Amino acid sequence: PPFRFGGEHMNWRNFFINAGILLVLSLLIVFGVAFNSSTSWFASDFAILILLLAIPLLWPLKNTLRFTADNPDMIADRPVTRLFTLTHGRWLPNLFLLDSAKTHTWHLPIGQRTAKISLTLQRGIYDQLPMTVTVTDLFGWFRKTLPLRLATPITVGPARRPEAAARIADDFSQKMSAADAGLPSDRIKNFRDYFPGDNIQQIAWKVSAHADTLIVHDDEHEGQASWTLLLLITPTLSLEPALSLFASLMDTGIFSGNGYLLDSRLISVIQGRQNTSLANFEPDGTATPDSLAALTTPQHQHRAYLILTADTQAAVPFTHALAPAATTLVDLSGGDDHA
């Protein structure tokens, strides 16, 4: 997402300060040569020393200064603490980091090149943070101010709605299990206790209720339907809440394989990489049933779809396009908490 830094004023101020100091030091050097006395040469040598120490700041630093986060993955609207280490430009003398609100400052002198920073970001991919870096010489006279740029971008996935997702996932799982209850008895040969890591689709809810523990189907018939999550992008959809619920539902682990976003394109969202897939998503047009052609091939015939939509009436053509696959609609018109 674009971020505009309000430091242009500060950069011009630094420019004039640096120019003024450079002029004074130049005059001191000329003073030493002109008067040729021990005092004048001492002042001249001192000015030369300061200039030598400030040489790094006289070169452009825009493409030199880079920080790297210890973990480049984040979730939107969730405060996190990250360690940011100066990995490009470690030879610079003094650095001061300042957040956009100008409420927190971090000093990174020589020998300390890592700052522990708490931040909250919106969904997106960031190659710079809403912070500034001021570089100074050892004496703090010369200075330059730049945006805090990153060597590796930070990926911020959608915010999460775990409570709403857990409720919907539980309802959907029970609905699909109830639909399977009428299948021929030879479809399911055995039952066994649930073990962590088992697919939640295998839980026998009715049997588990009577046994007062989780029981799963064992040796299931290979033709059992797999569950797939699909989000329809339409003009009435509130995008950010919808992406939040979509990512949260994928986090539950009840869906097989990838999820899908449908606008004018059919976009695959890789299971386990929701943040990377969704961080930079921007809608392109609106969903049409014709875009579902890739999901109506024979290899998808055993799928059952949970479809997130802002308009259940407008979603009917999409359920017809996916037939004979089973479809269940989640109405997002009341917001994700009331889906």
Side-chain angles (χ1 to χ4, degrees), residues 45-46 67 78 102 152-153 156 161 170 173 181 188 202 208 216 221 229 234 239 242 248 253 265 269 275 302 318:
D45 291 344
F46 176 76
F67 284 79
R78 183 179 295 181
K102 299 183 180 180
T152 302
V156 184
R161 302 290 183 268
D170 185 59
S173 300
I188 298 169
Q202 293 179 259
S208 299
V216 297
H221 187 274
L229 186 62
T234 57
L239 183 63
S248 302
R265 312 152 295 175
V269 178
N275 288 343
H302 295 299
F318 296 92

Side-chain angles (χ1 to χ4, degrees), residues 106-181:
W106 295 262
H107 180 208
L108 303 182
I110 292 179
Q112 181 181 336
R113 287 299 185 245
T114 298
K116 188 176 183 180
I117 300 175
S118 297
L119 69 166
T120 305
L121 298 173
Q122 300 299 308
R123 181 177 67 89
I125 297 178
Y126 293 76
D127 57 8
Q128 68 182 53
L129 294 182
M131 303 180 66
T132 56
V133 183
T134 298
V135 186
T136 74
D137 63 275
L138 288 173
F139 299 97
W141 291 359
F142 290 92
R143 59 183 56 213
K144 280 190 175 181
T145 300
L146 309 99
L148 194 158
R149 290 187 169 88
L150 301 171
T152 302
I154 286 181
T155 300
V156 184
R160 294 301 199 267
R161 302 290 183 268
E163 297 83 4
R167 172 174 53 81
I168 292 172
D170 185 59
D171 289 348
F172 180 63
S173 300
Q174 294 191 46
K175 175 182 176 66
M176 297 307 295
S177 297
D180 282 346

Side-chain angles (χ1 to χ4, degrees), residues 46-60:
F46 176 76
I48 292 172
L49 176 62
I50 296 298
L51 283 176
L52 289 175
L53 292 175
I55 281 178
L57 299 183
L58 301 180
W59 300 103

Side-chain angles (χ1 to χ4, degrees), residues 180-209:
D180 282 346
L183 294 172
S185 59
D186 65 347
R187 179 181 176 104
I188 298 169
K189 299 178 181 179
N190 296 300
F191 295 95
R192 61 174 173 79
D193 289 336
Y194 173 85
F195 290 100
D198 282 339
N199 193 329
I200 195 173
Q201 297 180 38
Q202 293 179 259
I203 295 176
W205 297 101
K206 291 185 179 180
V207 177
S208 299

Side-chain angles (χ1 to χ4, degrees), residues 66-72 82-88 113-115 148-152 154:
R66 290 289 188 276
F67 284 79
T68 301
D70 58 335
N71 184 349
R82 293 284 185 267
L83 295 177
F84 289 90
T85 302
L86 180 67
T87 52
H88 296 63
R113 287 299 185 245
T114 298
L148 194 158
R149 290 187 169 88
L150 301 171
T152 302
I154 286 181

Side-chain angles (χ1 to χ4, degrees), residues 290-306:
D290 293 340
S291 303
L292 288 173
L295 297 183
T296 57
T297 56
Q299 71 219 49
H300 294 283
Q301 64 183 348
H302 295 299
R303 292 184 185 270
Y305 290 91
L306 182 64

Side-chain angles (χ1 to χ4, degrees), residues 74-101:
M74 291 177 56
I75 292 175
D77 301 330
R78 183 179 295 181
V80 296
T81 299
R82 293 284 185 267
L83 295 177
F84 289 90
T85 302
L86 180 67
T87 52
H88 296 63
R90 297 178 64 88
W91 42 269
L92 293 168
N94 264 326
L95 290 92
F96 296 87
L97 311 185
L98 180 66
D99 64 6
S100 58

